[in-house]
């Protein structure tokens, strides 16, 4: 028996898409205005989905307040009002794309969810860069 | 061949999270303000997803008006402007969590969908308690 | 010179519409399912709009973090996860309608806004009971 | 390793639900106001989801600008400000239901996505007819 | 003392922008794809705002159920699943623009609101043609 | 006779709140994480409202396509994928607050609207920095 529980959080961050191994010209060709040297930014929406069995005593897969606290302390605090290329340790040396950011958030949260409840596993990371562009990652 | 068709409905209800087998103190420790003795409430959003093959004569998996009528008569009428702990027969004796409510809604609708169309089965119940907290249930 | 700055906050509460001076029957006739004895509830969205001149040193009419802290400490803390009829001192003896709640929120916040900034005045309270029902109050 | 990338586009179109093999009366019985002879219409929202591996040089599954350009040139340009029953070649002879439209959009885009990136495949077409009615198609 | 109460309703309709006094060529020049001979359509969102004083016995400016019933019977029933150019008596001989439609809706509802409550007057009609295009009308 | 027509556009930009006349310490005290040296960013939503009389030949206050083109060429092109502090000529020497940005957008668009139609004037600039924080400016 499994049910999926999701919590949405948000953060505001700056980034640019820029490959340091490429010439300025190639970066502009590939990334267009997203390569703007002086950065741009987004209101990101992050949805964390956990899968598990409800605890009969609480009716919860996990306690949503604990889940929210976990996401804020391990992820949001490192991303909110930050520069994804310069300020975020786990993005160092990586392209600041929504795809790679979602995969790094997975790596941080996957080992933490079972500590909230032995009934629960991380199931999916959904990350909206804009209301029209988003990625989903379910682990390898 | 399968396609998924979803219909969103809504209801407004009161509830509290309170385990009668626990002391008042333990309830407050576990559920915080959600255990408020005098209740609180939400605008719930319910999405019912059915899976099937389109009927070539109509182009429909199921007739959306019939699906909406079914959801309203079997589910919404029992939940809207109600107290989930006190007024809802199928939640009696259960914790009034979003997880358990979604699972009970599944039990009500799963046998009804094939009566709408022999091409269709219930695929998923999605239930938003707030725009930031939601659950999904696909059956056991 | 004036500009309007708005901050949206939310709270979840239970209520019923019930006039204790009327018979049970008249209450049901007037309020229908909203008079359900066991309550129902909503995810309320509250928008507080202040009017003022931007401070040239900050570019702000008021500091949004201070505005948010004020709204949460004076209003949200008294309404969130509460019963509007039973738990809220400033609604005591009043009908728990969205109209009257918005007017009481105005009374609480109007004297506080000029303390945040001498440039600012409370301009409007907007209160959504559901995404389809809302009120606006601009003072008498 | 796979990640899912989605792009949302929109189009405004007229249609009616009408089976020419049926009598006027049977059409009205089956489709009600959706069979109105003079048409009605919707703001459709289309979400195209591709599945793939991020390119390490760009961090992208596919370039979202190329994906958006593809969707607009192959799909939106044929549907926006059009009549789904009369103006759209690939809907000719088919019921103008959301289900069948989503399946035709799949057929158009599925062979095109691998041309954007050898890492990517079309994964899902999601089509909202209204905010409360939508379909999802993942291929046969 | 005044407070503003709003109710949102919706309807789906087809239309085209076409001036019969102009040549086909001039219509295309002026209205582009909006002049498509075979129509296009939208999910319109209509917000009706009334202004008044809350009745102390109910806490209401007007009863929202009565307001909703009024809007549906006098306006939505004439527009939903209809063609604005062909099917709607009060738009006959007028351009089917959002501006003119909002003004006609005002004319219908303005005399009806005081019949709901002697405390209330129609204050504003807001009409969304798409989430990005909308008009507001407050009377002449 | 007047009606209000609004068009919503969006842009993604980086900024920081930082007063160069203040010490680093005072900037952090006043602006907190918004003063982050390496910037942060937002998906801004801009709503431009014009006031006018509908042209009887078109039913339009202004042609929405011309209004959209104007906003994009004069405003969005200067802000989208840019740094508000470094890249935007009309924000040079000003605090990059939502308030001051909205007022500068007014200055750019106010003289342009009457060129679209002699019936129309700029009425309001609404600028969302996040879905919960927004400003409105109606001119001095």
């Amino acid at each position: 028996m499994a049910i999926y529980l999701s919590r949405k959080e948000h953060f505001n961050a700056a980034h640019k898409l820029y490959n340091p191994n490429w010439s300025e010209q190639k970066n502009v060709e590939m990334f267009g205005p997203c390569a703007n040297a002086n950065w741009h930014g987004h209101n990101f929406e992050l949805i964390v989905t956990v899968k598990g069995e409800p605890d009969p005593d609480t009716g919860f897969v996990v306690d949503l307040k604990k889940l929210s606290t976990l996401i804020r302390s391990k992820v949001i605090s490192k991303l909110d009002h930050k520069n994804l290329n310069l300020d975020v340790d786990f993005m160092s040396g990586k392209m600041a794309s929504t795809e790679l950011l979602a995969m790094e958030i997975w790596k941080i949260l996957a080992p933490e969810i079972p500590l909230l409840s032995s009934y629960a596993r991380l199931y999916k990371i959904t990350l909206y860069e804009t209301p029209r562009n988003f990625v989903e990652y379910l682990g390898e």
Side-chain angles (χ1 to χ4, degrees), chain A residues 14-18 24 32-41 83 85-86:
Chain A
H15 77 149
K16 69 177 168 187
L17 294 169
Y18 191 90
E24 181 68 21
C34 298
N36 179 39
N38 288 328
W39 322 95
H40 67 284
N83 183 308
N85 301 67
L86 300 180

Side-chain angles (χ1 to χ4, degrees), chain A residues 5 52 80 99 138:
Chain A
L5 175 69
D80 192 32
E99 286 94 329
L138 290 84

Side-chain angles (χ1 to χ4, degrees), chain A residues 33-105:
Chain A
C34 298
N36 179 39
N38 288 328
W39 322 95
H40 67 284
H42 299 288
N43 302 327
F44 290 87
E45 295 276 354
L46 170 65
I47 304 172
V48 175
T49 303
V50 301
K51 176 181 181 174
E53 223 177 303
D55 180 323
D57 285 341
T58 60
F60 290 168
V61 171
V62 299
D63 182 324
L64 269 169
K65 276 193 207 64
K66 287 184 188 165
L67 179 59
S68 174
T69 300
L70 174 70
I71 302 169
R72 291 183 191 208
S73 69
K74 299 286 180 182
V75 176
I76 302 298
S77 66
K78 297 193 168 180
L79 297 171
D80 192 32
H81 287 79
K82 293 291 188 323
N83 183 308
L84 301 181
N85 301 67
L86 300 180
D87 296 333
V88 182
D89 54 2
F90 59 81
M91 292 301 287
S92 175
K94 297 190 184 67
M95 294 299 296
S97 75
T98 316
E99 286 94 329
L100 297 188
L101 181 54
M103 293 167 81
E104 293 302 311
I105 293 171

